[in-house]
Amino acid sequence: MTDRAQMAIAASGLRKAFGDHVVLDGIDVAVGAGRVYAMLGPNGAGKTTVVNILTTLLTADAGTVVIAGHDVATAGDAARAAIGVTGQLSAVDHLLTGRENLQLMADLRHLRKREGRERVQQLLQHFDLVDAADKLLSTYSLGMRRRLDLAMTLVGDPRILFLDEPTTGLDPRSRRTMWELIRSLAAGGVTIFLTTQYLEEADELADWIAVLDGGRIVAEGTSDALKQRVPGGHIRLQFTDAEALASAAAHFDGATTDDEALTLSLPSDGRPDDVRSVLDRLERAGIELGGLSMHTPDLDDVFFALTGSGAKTSATTDSLERATR
Ligand SMILES: Nc1ncnc2c1ncn2[C@@H]1O[C@H](COP(=O)(O)OP(=O)(O)OP(=O)(O)O)[C@@H](O)[C@H]1O
């Protein structure tokens, strides 16, 4: 990646312990301007701790953090001026209406009266909260509160946004709405640092995914690159009779046959050349194919391979089920 000074977020060697519990054991984070970075990890992995350190709410025991070119140790105010933070625990006031919450934020940001009112209305519209704008927060659904929370963060127009588990607890529809909002922010050039326990969320939104486990980043890269690190991709050939299956099996080393399903699986990373050469060989041998499908490992495979966890945590399994339902 490029020079640290050009990064929206650049942190290195972050360590943090609470008592003798080491939560972060040397974490590096580099996020280019305008990129979406997802830190993926199970409950308690230390994601919120990373966000708190990067947003200056917490001081690391060791390491450096540079936000928008400002070292937080020496220029905390300048760093803070560039960021917006939306946490798991909403900062909204339940005794106020949605509009009043936003207006309060506009006042805190010292926006001029008219400018503030316009910004509030614009955000209410963008976040589909116009109808609920003058209702008390206590009547809002969780999805609406999350949207308001994000809208409040955007009053100050931050160029770098931290979203700590923005969709935890949301139903699939609200989650998708939130994803759309995040995508539109990214499309507008906002740098986004997101934490999530949802593999699908990281896959959907992020340019770069870092997997946090045991206080360290155990892997990072694009979603595709991470998937390629995990074996398990294959081409699955379907035959219409046992004879065709047997003759095909004789042509491919390392193939696994399923006599009942009449299928043959060949290891492959899914490159088009692989598929072409398989089809060519079958054609040359005069073997008729019933069908062909590809299997590429998903982030789920990656996560469990990388974190060395044989069993999915119930939270992750549950969230995956909910996210894909
Ligand atoms: N102020 C604190 N004092 C003591 N321990 C803490 C403190 N803050 C966090 N921890 C511990 O650090 C670990 C990491 O917590 P953190 O909240 O960063 O994890 P997380 O990945 O965000 O998890 P979750 O998805 O549950 O929010 C946990 O074991 C937590 O109990």
Side-chain angles (χ1 to χ4, degrees):
M1 283 212 197
T2 46
D3 183 48
R4 262 166 74 90
Q6 292 169 9
M7 290 282 161
I9 306 168
S12 73
L14 296 184
R15 290 178 191 281
K16 185 73 190 172
F18 295 107
D20 55 8
H21 179 191
V22 177
V23 176
L24 302 179
D25 191 14
I27 302 276
D28 298 335
V29 176
V31 189
R35 316 298 290 181
V36 181
Y37 176 109
M39 182 164 275
L40 180 67
N43 267 325
K47 303 181 296 296
T48 301
T49 305
V50 173
V51 170
N52 287 346
I53 291 172
L54 296 179
T55 57
T56 78
L57 292 170
L58 193 68
T59 309
D61 299 337
T64 56
V65 178
V66 178
I67 301 288
H70 308 289
D71 188 327
V72 302
T74 53
D77 285 348
R80 275 187 289 277
I83 65 175
V85 189
T86 302
Q88 290 176 59
L89 291 176
S90 181
V92 295
D93 186 331
H94 291 249
L95 298 175
L96 298 179
T97 66
R99 190 189 302 279
E100 286 165 346
N101 265 289
L102 282 165
Q103 190 59 53
L104 190 68
M105 199 50 95
D107 294 343
L108 283 172
R109 291 271 170 187
H110 305 298
L111 264 64
R112 273 191 240 118
K113 271 252 164 315
R114 181 155 163 220
E115 194 192 349
R117 272 202 307 273
E118 281 172 6
R119 182 82 182 123
V120 166
Q121 189 59 26
Q122 195 186 36
L123 287 165
L124 286 167
Q125 273 163 3
H126 187 66
F127 284 80
D128 196 18
L129 290 168
V130 173
D131 291 346
D134 298 310
K135 295 188 178 129
L136 287 183
L137 252 283
S138 45
T139 65
Y140 279 35
S141 67
L142 181 63
M144 289 160 80
R145 264 182 278 148
R146 285 278 168 76
R147 295 209 300 277
L148 181 71
D149 201 14
L150 182 52
M152 285 171 69
T153 311
L154 296 178
V155 169
D157 225 356
R159 302 313 296 153
I160 305 173
L161 196 56
F162 290 86
L163 303 173
D164 193 9
E165 301 197 18
T167 67
T168 294
L170 294 187
D171 61 70
R173 215 176 105 203
S174 307
R175 172 168 298 147
R176 291 201 174 268
T177 304
M178 198 57 133
W179 287 354
E180 283 313 312
L181 290 167
I182 294 170
R183 278 197 197 100
S184 74
L185 288 168
V190 176
T191 305
I192 295 175
F193 180 100
L194 157 97
T195 73
T196 184
Q197 318 177 24
Y198 304 134
L199 306 156
E200 193 196 4
E201 184 157 290
D203 205 0
E204 285 273 341
L205 298 177
D207 303 311
W208 193 262
I209 299 170
V211 182
L212 184 66
D213 188 53
R216 289 171 179 276
I217 289 172
V218 293
E220 63 180 312
T222 61
S223 165
D224 284 346
L226 287 176
K227 287 173 192 167
Q228 275 178 12
R229 289 182 51 170
V230 176
H234 59 261
I235 300 172
R236 192 160 179 264
L237 305 174
Q238 177 75 56
F239 297 93
T240 45
D241 59 63
E243 202 183 325
L245 172 64
S247 24
H251 279 81
F252 296 99
D253 288 339
T256 315
T257 50
D258 182 332
D259 293 330
E260 228 167 275
L262 296 177
T263 59
L264 191 69
S265 292
L266 308 167
S268 164
D269 59 9
R271 279 175 304 153
D273 279 358
D274 267 5
V275 182
R276 206 171 297 127
S277 105
V278 167
L279 292 176
D280 284 351
R281 283 173 80 175
L282 288 172
E283 196 178 342
R284 275 202 303 276
I287 302 168
E288 199 178 326
L289 187 63
L292 177 149
S293 57
M294 302 292 306
H295 172 88
T296 41
D298 57 17
L299 265 189
D300 199 6
D301 300 323
V302 177
F303 188 72
F304 294 107
L306 291 172
T307 59
S309 165
K312 296 175 184 183
T313 62
S314 60
T316 311
T317 311
D318 181 46
S319 64
L320 267 175
E321 281 167 1
R322 275 190 279 120
T324 50
R325 217 182 284 154

